[in-house]
Amino acid sequence: MSGAFLAGLVAGYGVAIPVGAIAILILGLSARTSFRVGAAAALAVATADGLYAAVAALGGAGLAGVIAPAAGPLRVVAAVVLLGLAGHGLWRTWVAHRSRRAPAARGGRGMETPGRAYAALLGLTLLNPTTVLYFVALVLGRPDTADAGPLPAALFVAGVFLASASWQLLIAGGGTVVGRALTGPRGRLVTGVLSSVLIAALAVAALLPG
């Protein structure tokens, strides 16, 4: 049973550590707003990873065939959402710079509250079909997780959630440090523009065959 938990930890870190659009969003949210907002976004990502791990552990081999045909459309939807976030972030960064106010000053809009950040990042992470395929492949490769009953599956899911949450919270903490170091208008302008450009590039990359 401890093997299933350790397998979940490894799987969770494996899917969480590569830096992508989600990590950049969490980093940017923490830098522009507060650790509370970044932590809410981080826990949303961990929740999505845990849900996908649970679906994979319970769904078995038939799940991959159901998800795979929808991978293309979901990838397009995710890219559109990312482009929208990039455009909105760029606009708000420019408005804040022109008015000499920090982007977080207009609280309650966009993803600048913990509740909205959680909902937005949960939905965005769930749009990634490759995550559930990743967990399906891992579950099917471990008979002790796939066939030994609900307890090993639950331990596997717990490991995934804890690994993902710990890593995403680390990113959120790093974003808070960056935000404190770049409190001036010019620093916020540079980080806001860079974040939007990177998110837009990742959105375009999501549309490319690979």
Side-chain angles (χ1 to χ4, degrees):
M1 289 187 292
S2 60
F5 179 74
L6 291 176
L9 286 176
V10 173
Y13 282 122
V15 77
I17 286 177
V19 175
I22 297 298
I24 293 170
L25 282 174
I26 294 173
L27 196 70
L29 279 172
S30 295
R32 292 192 302 271
T33 57
S34 67
F35 178 73
R36 286 183 60 212
V37 175
L43 292 176
V45 176
T47 300
D49 288 343
L51 288 173
Y52 268 156
V55 170
L58 298 174
L63 189 61
V66 175
I67 297 296
L74 287 177
R75 191 163 59 245
V76 172
V77 172
V80 171
V81 172
L82 287 171
L83 286 173
L85 290 172
H88 180 69
L90 187 62
W91 174 76
R92 293 193 65 256
T93 297
W94 177 248
V95 170
H97 179 70
R98 289 294 300 272
S99 63
R100 290 296 187 267
R101 293 184 300 175
R106 297 172 63 181
R109 297 188 179 186
M111 292 185 292
E112 292 179 351
T113 65
R116 293 187 180 188
Y118 183 91
L121 267 295
L122 178 62
L124 187 58
T125 308
L126 288 175
L127 285 173
N128 184 6
T130 59
T131 303
V132 70
L133 293 175
Y134 168 81
F135 286 127
V136 166
L138 288 175
V139 168
L140 294 178
R142 291 187 59 87
D144 58 331
T145 303
D147 301 328
L151 183 55
L155 290 172
F156 176 80
V157 172
V160 168
F161 177 82
L162 289 176
S164 180
S166 63
W167 182 258
Q168 306 301 343
L169 287 171
L170 180 63
I171 291 175
T176 303
V177 173
V178 170
R180 289 174 179 172
L182 299 173
T183 55
R186 188 179 299 276
R188 290 188 178 274
L189 175 64
V190 171
T191 55
V193 171
L194 180 61
S195 175
S196 295
V197 170
L198 288 172
I199 292 170
L202 288 163
V204 173
L207 296 174
L208 299 177

